[in-house]
């Protein structure tokens, strides 16, 4: 121990304590504090330490002496320990009388009684510098420190250095002293380092934690990372005498940081799309030349298929047989990847000898620091690759199996050639991280592609495969799926033949994307067909459809809990229209859907707007129908909002563009439909697009005849004869007998059970239709008569003789109809 300096004892700074003082507690400050935190006793030592006389402290709370926030939990813990008979000690900041904070070493005794009060004795002393450092300790520190140290003169020549720096550089001390860094270690960015030292000498400002990469004679084949700090040396007169620097080998820290940086960067460069092949190529492009000179990504064939489910290696055959893989990504520092044996899309069963399919199953990377093309395993098993290794100097390899979610996806191989440094075990960690991230992206892309393909297949299967409007309408449709990144949508359309030569047109849009939206679309389309077959007018059909959507939204799961599907609310919009070619009128209603576009024969464009109505699934609000008249050869178009939204999201402008496009073209309907979609939506959109066009035709007077029927059973024979003559006049003699029986039964039933007026109508369209209208709203009932019954067989005979029959209700009653196919 060096002797204490009296001058330092008298200074304002902390006074070092000698060994005897450290063991002497007689100078400690002491106080007695009650369990309520009130100071009971205060010694002169305490007054000397904190400057507070006893009169200012005794009887008051001890908490005001603390120079830190109160911590009741800690105080309670200390008190509990002391009540248990054990003391406590620790460092506490307290407040001196002059306002400064003093760090003290506080000791608290076990609790004891003073009269009726529970108390604690507290003793403390100020934390002070305790030891001085001897010259021998200092010399040992400088020499054996894990940090390299050196002193340079003003000409930047070595004056002194420690043993650690000698080991770092690999140059003996006697060869360094008197020479400059640039003369000894040119691989350590010596010129830049000397420039920093000159700057430090000139400015007097230290430079800390300057990192750089380089080689040294201690390890000439491996690059190291170093962190160096420089500061000027001055003598007693503040004259600069040189510069000192300290250096640490931070290769491990730099490698870890590089690993983290590369992995983070890979997150922005790899997996930017949901395409398997694109993701594999992004991995290869990212790793070259950052990490390797040549990279190949080979994926198992089922990964590239939309039907794979992950359990594929069981079909690969014996372990000695390579699994079927396809080259999916490849990149090289050489243009055109001349090192490659297989090209993109080719079969590529590359697995480094002497490994087999178990390499993929085990999932552990393979490191080959040295590739020897003369190795008999390469020559025997993969002679073509051995020749490539020799030709392009491929010298080091890492192969990493690609796995994600316990699914084997393929193999990624990193190879170095122009980079002379072989792969090291640390590089395997980076390769594993890069491949793991890419594998997750590949698996996400694979799963998405499979689901998207299934959704598209489901969607296409649910859309109408063929549309026909009979002789009433010439129809054409165009459907454009959404951009794959947006997912499959729920747009649908349909053309539904109805009785009386009428035709129903419907278009709808389900909210959301994916398989659920496509399945919901199919359910709604089926529901519309069913409700249309029940001859419901458009407003009533939408009301029933709204109730259906509400029920679907409130369906229960298999365990009985309420479940609102991903479409929930199952939101949808719909437009339903019924065109009657006899009257040339069209009745329509809509549920939150854009209005139809109508182009008159003279090219005039209009957008008839029935009341918009609420979207399906809200419930509680009514729908309204309107009726418009369509001239012969008018064009009516039904569409979904994706067609008119456009990039500017201006639907009014989009409707105007659609009308102009349909008005100025005289192409056939199918060409007009596809060209309109192509021009309005030239690039993929995030939503599905549907367009349904129909050109109207009317039934002429020669194709429709009708007769009023008296309410007299004797009138049946007359109208039956008239109907038979009319059918024969139309050249449909094959249907005359059947028509005679149908007219007889329907008219007889109307006279017996219905209310007048009664009217019979025959229509010749794609089918021959017989209609009997009456003023009664009583529904017809098909029943099977018993063998002894005299009646009850009328509708049964009609159902047997015709292709379709049914009833629809009108404002004045109902119409019973029956259809026969025209041969």
């Amino acid at each position: 121990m060096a002797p204490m300096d009296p001058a330092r004892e008298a200074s304002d700074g902390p006074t070092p304590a000698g060994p005897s003082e450290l063991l002497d507690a007689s100078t400690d400050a002491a106080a007695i504090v009650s369990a309520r935190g009130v100071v009971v006793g205060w010694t002169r030592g305490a007054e000397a330490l904190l400057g507070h006389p006893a009169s200012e402290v005794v009887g008051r709370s001890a908490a005001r002496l603390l120079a830190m926030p109160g911590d009741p939990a800690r105080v309670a813990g200390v008190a509990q320990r002391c009540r248990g008979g054990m003391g406590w000690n620790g460092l506490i900041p307290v407040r001196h009388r002059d306002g400064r904070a003093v760090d003290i070493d506080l000791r608290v005794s076990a609790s004891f009684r003073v009269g009726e009060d529970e108390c604690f004795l507290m003793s403390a002393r100020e934390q002070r510098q305790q030891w001085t450092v001897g010259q021998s300790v200092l010399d040992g520190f400088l020499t054996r420190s894990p940090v390299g140290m050196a002193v340079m003169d003003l000409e930047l020549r070595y004056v002194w250095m420690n043993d650690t720096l000698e080991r770092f550089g690999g140059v003996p001390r006697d060869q360094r002293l008197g020479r400059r860094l640039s003369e000894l270690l040119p691989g350590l960015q010596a010129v830049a380092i000397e420039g920093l030292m000159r700057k430090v000498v000139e400015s007097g400002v230290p430079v800390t934690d300057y990192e750089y990469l380089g080689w040294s004679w201690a390890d000439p084949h491996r690059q190291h990372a170093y962190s160096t700090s420089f500061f000027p040396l001055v003598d007693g007169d503040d004259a600069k005498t040189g510069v000192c620097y300290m250096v640490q080998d931070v290769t491990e820290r730099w490698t870890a940081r590089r690993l983290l940086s590369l992995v983070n960067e890979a997150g922005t460069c790899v997996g930017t799309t949901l395409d398997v092949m694109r993701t594999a190529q992004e991995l290869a492009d990212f790793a070259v030349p950052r990490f390797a000179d040549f990279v190949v990504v080979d994926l198992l064939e089922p990964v590239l298929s939309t039907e794979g489910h992950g359990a594929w290696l069981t079909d690969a055959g014996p372990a000695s047989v390579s699994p079927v893989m396809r080259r999916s990504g490849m990149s090289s520092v050489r243009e055109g990847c001349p090192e490659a044996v297989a090209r993109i899309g080719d079969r590529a069963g590359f697995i480094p000898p002497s490994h087999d399919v178990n390499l993929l199953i085990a999932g552990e990377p393979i490191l080959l620091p040295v590739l020897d093309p003369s190795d008999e395993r390469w020559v025997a098993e993969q002679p073509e690759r051995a020749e490539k290794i020799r030709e392009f100097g491929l010298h080091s390899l890492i192969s990493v199996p690609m796995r994600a979610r316990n699914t084997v996806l393929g193999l990624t191989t990193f190879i170095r050639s122009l980079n002379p440094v072989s792969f090291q075990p640390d590089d395997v960690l980076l390769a594993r991280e890069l491949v793991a991230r890419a594998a997750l992206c590949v698996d996400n892309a694979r799963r998405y592609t499979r689901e998207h393909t299934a959704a598209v297949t489901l969607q296409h299967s649910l859309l109408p495969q063929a549309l026909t409007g009979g002789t009433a309408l010439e129809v054409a449709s165009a459907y454009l799926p959404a951009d794959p990144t947006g997912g499959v949508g729920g747009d649908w359309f349909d053309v539904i033949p109805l009785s009386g030569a009428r035709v129903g047109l419907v278009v709808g849009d389900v909210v959301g994307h994916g398989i659920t939206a496509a399945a919901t679309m199919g359910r709604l389309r089926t529901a519309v067909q069913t409700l249309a077959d029940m001859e419901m007018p458009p407003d009533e059909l939408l009301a029933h459809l709204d109730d259906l959507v509400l029920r679907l939204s409130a369906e229960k799961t298999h365990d009985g809990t309420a479940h609102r599907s991903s479409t929930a609310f199952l939101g949808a919009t719909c437009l339903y229209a019924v065109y009657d070619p006899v009257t040339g009128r069209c009745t329509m209603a809509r549920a939150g859907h854009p209005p139809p576009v109508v182009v008159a024969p003279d090219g005039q464009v209009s957008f008839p707007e029935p009341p918009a109505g609420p979207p399906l699934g809200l419930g509680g609000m009514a729908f309204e129908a309107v009726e418009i008249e369509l001239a012969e050869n008018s064009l009516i178009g039904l569409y979904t909002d994706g067609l008119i939204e456009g990039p500017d999201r201006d639907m009014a402008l989009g409707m105007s563009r659609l009308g102009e496009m349909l008005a100025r073209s005289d192409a056939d309907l199918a060409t007009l439909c596809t060209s309109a979609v192509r021009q309005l939506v030239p690039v993929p959109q995030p939503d599905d697009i549907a367009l349904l066009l129909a050109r109207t035709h009317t039934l002429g007077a020669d194709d429709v005849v009708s007769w009023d029927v008296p309410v007299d059973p004797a009138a049946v024979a007359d109208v039956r004869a008239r109907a038979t003559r009319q059918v024969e006049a139309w050249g449909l003699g094959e249907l005359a007998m059947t028509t005679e029986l149908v007219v007889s039964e329907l008219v007889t039933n109307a006279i017996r059970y219905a209310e007048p007026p009664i009217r019979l109508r025959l229509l010749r369209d794609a089918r021959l239709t017989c209609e009997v209208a009456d003023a009664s709203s009583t529904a017809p009932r098909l029943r099977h008569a018993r063998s002894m019954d005299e009646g009850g067989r009328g509708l049964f005979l009609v159902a047997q003789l015709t292709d379709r029959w049914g009833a629809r209700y009108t404002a004045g009653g109902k119409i019973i109809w029956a259809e026969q196919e025209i041969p």
Side-chain angles (χ1 to χ4, degrees):
M1 177 72 66
M4 290 189 295
D5 186 351
R8 291 188 61 190
E9 262 188 292
S11 67
D12 294 334
T15 303
S20 60
E21 185 178 354
L22 290 172
L23 302 176
D24 183 10
S26 62
T27 61
D28 286 0
I32 298 176
V33 180
S34 70
R36 293 179 291 109
V38 177
V39 178
V40 178
W42 189 257
T43 66
R44 291 186 177 180
E47 181 179 348
L49 178 63
L50 299 183
H52 294 281
S55 60
E56 296 180 359
V57 178
V58 174
R60 300 186 181 184
S61 172
R64 68 188 187 91
L65 299 176
L66 296 177
M68 58 181 288
D71 190 348
R74 186 181 184 190
V75 172
V78 171
Q80 182 179 0
R81 176 182 174 89
C82 294
R83 289 189 181 103
M86 301 178 64
W88 179 90
N89 69 283
L91 295 177
I92 297 292
V94 295
R95 186 71 62 190
H96 195 276
R97 192 167 185 250
D98 60 12
R100 60 187 171 88
V102 179
D103 290 331
I104 62 171
D105 184 1
L106 180 67
R107 299 176 181 84
V108 183
S109 71
S111 64
F112 57 90
R113 293 282 177 178
V114 177
E116 298 297 325
D117 294 331
E118 180 186 22
C119 296
F120 302 90
L121 174 62
M122 299 185 180
S123 61
R125 65 174 59 186
E126 184 178 0
Q127 282 293 104
R128 296 181 177 181
Q129 179 182 351
Q130 298 179 350
W131 303 98
T132 60
V133 179
Q135 186 63 42
S136 60
V137 176
L138 180 60
D139 291 343
F141 167 72
L142 293 175
T143 304
R144 298 177 181 84
S145 169
V147 178
M149 302 179 187
V151 176
M152 322 290 281
D153 61 18
L154 293 176
E155 295 182 1
L156 304 183
R157 299 184 185 279
Y158 281 99
V159 176
W160 175 87
M161 60 184 293
N162 68 352
D163 297 345
T164 305
L165 186 63
E166 184 178 15
R167 291 195 304 271
F168 282 172
V171 179
R173 180 183 281 103
D174 57 356
Q175 294 183 22
R176 282 206 189 201
L177 296 178
R179 304 181 69 180
R180 293 169 53 175
L181 180 65
S182 56
E183 299 171 356
L184 301 168
L185 299 169
L188 279 176
Q189 301 183 13
V191 175
I193 294 173
E194 288 183 347
L196 280 176
M197 288 192 286
R198 288 193 187 93
K199 183 178 179 181
V200 169
V201 171
E202 293 170 0
S203 65
V205 179
V207 173
T208 58
D209 203 20
Y210 171 73
E211 289 191 2
Y212 59 93
L213 298 176
W215 285 267
S216 69
W217 293 112
D219 190 3
H221 300 294
R222 184 185 178 204
Q223 195 175 41
H224 285 251
Y226 300 97
S227 175
T228 308
S229 298
F230 308 91
F231 56 91
L233 295 177
V234 296
D235 58 16
D237 299 327
D238 287 337
K240 295 170 184 172
T241 60
V243 62
C244 178
Y245 77 81
M246 296 182 293
V247 59
Q248 282 182 286
D249 189 329
V250 292
T251 303
E252 291 187 4
R253 184 180 76 187
W254 183 86
T255 301
R257 194 166 60 207
R258 173 173 169 262
L259 169 64
L260 181 61
S261 176
L262 276 177
V263 171
N264 287 339
E265 188 179 355
T268 63
C269 300
V270 180
T272 60
T273 66
L274 288 171
D275 182 86
V276 173
M277 295 287 285
R278 177 71 179 274
T279 302
Q281 186 60 47
E282 287 174 346
L283 171 60
D285 291 339
F286 176 81
V288 176
R290 291 179 178 89
F291 182 63
D293 299 324
F294 178 50
V295 177
V296 294
V297 181
D298 297 332
L299 298 178
L300 292 167
E301 276 195 334
V303 176
L304 304 174
S305 168
T306 59
E307 300 177 358
H309 294 276
W312 305 310
L313 290 183
T314 54
D315 301 327
S320 59
V321 179
S322 296
V324 178
M325 294 191 290
R326 294 277 178 184
R327 180 63 45 85
S328 304
M330 180 169 62
S331 185
S332 171
V333 293
R334 300 178 175 89
E335 186 176 357
C337 300
E339 310 97 322
V341 172
R343 315 310 296 182
I344 298 294
D346 294 347
R347 291 187 63 167
F350 172 67
I351 294 180
S354 57
H355 301 278
D356 53 31
V357 68
N358 291 320
L359 168 63
L360 301 180
I361 298 174
E364 290 302 318
I366 297 298
L367 168 63
L368 300 179
V370 178
L371 293 180
D372 182 5
S374 61
D375 189 314
E376 61 182 11
R377 292 175 300 180
W378 284 92
V379 174
E381 298 178 23
Q382 302 187 32
E384 190 175 358
R385 287 190 172 89
E387 182 58 33
K388 294 287 187 180
I389 292 174
R390 181 181 296 105
E391 179 182 355
F392 294 100
L394 311 181
H395 64 82
S396 189
L397 174 148
I398 297 177
S399 285
V400 184
M402 299 186 72
R403 297 176 62 88
R405 303 181 180 96
N406 293 323
T407 300
V408 179
L409 304 173
L411 185 71
T412 300
T413 302
F414 306 89
I415 301 175
R416 283 182 178 170
S417 57
L418 299 184
N419 186 342
V421 181
S422 297
F423 285 121
Q424 302 297 321
D426 289 346
D427 295 318
V428 176
L429 298 176
L430 175 56
R432 186 200 292 267
E433 289 296 328
L434 291 178
V435 172
R437 182 176 289 270
L440 188 61
C441 295
V442 167
D443 192 51
N444 287 341
R446 175 185 68 86
R447 291 168 179 264
Y448 169 79
T449 301
R450 191 176 64 212
E451 179 176 343
H452 184 264
T453 301
V456 169
T457 302
L458 173 64
Q459 184 185 46
H460 287 175
S461 68
L462 294 175
L463 288 172
Q465 305 303 308
L467 299 176
T468 177
T471 58
L473 293 174
E474 176 190 353
V475 294
S477 65
Y479 181 80
L480 185 63
D483 180 358
T485 59
V488 172
D491 293 9
W492 94 92
F493 56 90
D494 209 348
V495 177
I496 306 171
L498 301 174
S499 65
R502 299 169 307 131
V503 179
L505 301 173
V506 62
V507 65
D509 186 359
V510 175
V511 172
H513 295 85
I515 289 181
T516 304
T520 301
M521 172 268 287
R523 298 173 81 173
L524 295 184
R525 176 173 173 251
T526 301
V528 170
Q529 289 178 330
T530 303
L531 295 172
D533 283 343
M534 295 171 66
E535 302 288 355
M536 288 188 178
D539 52 342
E540 291 185 21
L541 183 144
L542 291 182
H544 283 277
L545 198 62
D546 184 48
D547 290 339
L548 171 64
V549 172
L550 283 172
R551 290 197 301 272
L552 292 177
S553 298
E555 281 183 342
K556 305 279 186 181
T557 59
H558 64 279
D559 59 358
T561 59
H563 170 69
R564 295 183 71 83
S565 62
S566 61
T567 58
F569 101 99
L570 249 197
T573 64
C574 184
L575 170 64
Y576 179 60
V578 176
Y579 173 69
D580 188 342
V582 177
T583 63
R585 303 188 69 79
C586 181
T587 306
M588 64 183 72
R590 59 184 179 135
H593 202 82
V597 55
V598 174
V599 181
D602 60 0
Q604 184 73 27
V605 177
S606 62
F607 289 88
E609 295 199 24
L616 299 174
L618 293 182
M621 288 178 276
F623 300 93
E624 295 183 45
V626 298
E627 190 175 76
I628 62 173
E629 189 167 347
L630 297 177
E632 176 83 11
N633 289 322
S634 294
L635 182 66
I636 181 171
L638 283 63
Y639 51 89
T640 54
D641 55 6
L643 182 66
I644 58 173
E645 282 183 340
D648 51 11
R649 314 297 292 178
D650 188 335
M651 296 187 68
L653 182 59
M655 292 167 62
S656 176
R657 287 195 294 255
L658 173 62
E660 292 174 1
M661 197 162 298
L662 297 180
R664 68 170 180 255
S665 177
D666 57 356
D668 68 272
L669 207 57
T671 303
L672 176 62
C673 194
T674 55
S675 64
V677 171
R678 188 180 302 112
Q679 294 181 47
L680 287 173
V681 190
V683 295
Q685 298 293 321
D687 196 8
D688 288 8
I689 292 166
L691 174 62
L692 176 63
L693 295 182
R695 183 168 282 126
T696 63
H697 302 292
T698 57
L699 289 182
D702 295 339
D703 296 316
V704 181
V705 293
S706 61
W707 302 276
D708 290 326
V709 179
V711 186
D712 182 357
V716 174
D718 180 53
V719 295
R720 182 171 59 206
R722 291 184 183 184
T724 302
R725 289 194 296 270
Q726 182 61 55
V727 169
E728 291 175 343
W730 280 337
L732 304 177
E734 300 177 30
L735 305 179
M737 182 178 295
T738 305
T739 304
E740 184 179 9
L741 290 173
V742 169
V743 168
S744 178
E745 294 296 336
L746 294 183
V747 171
T748 299
N749 281 345
I751 292 174
R752 285 182 177 179
Y753 307 112
E755 299 291 333
I758 301 173
R759 189 170 183 82
L760 169 66
R761 186 172 72 163
L762 295 180
L763 298 93
R764 181 182 61 174
D765 183 39
R767 299 177 180 85
L768 176 63
T769 304
C770 174
E771 297 180 346
V772 175
D774 60 62
S776 171
S777 59
T778 304
R781 185 165 62 94
L782 178 66
R783 62 188 182 92
H784 295 275
R786 292 171 297 182
S787 58
M788 301 300 293
D789 290 346
E790 296 183 1
R793 299 179 178 83
L795 287 179
F796 180 77
L797 289 175
V798 170
Q800 296 298 313
L801 294 173
T802 59
D803 294 288
R804 290 200 316 161
W805 78 279
R808 68 177 184 270
Y809 294 90
T810 65
K814 68 175 182 296
I815 296 175
I816 309 297
W817 56 267
E819 293 179 350
Q820 301 175 68
E821 291 288 345
I822 295 177

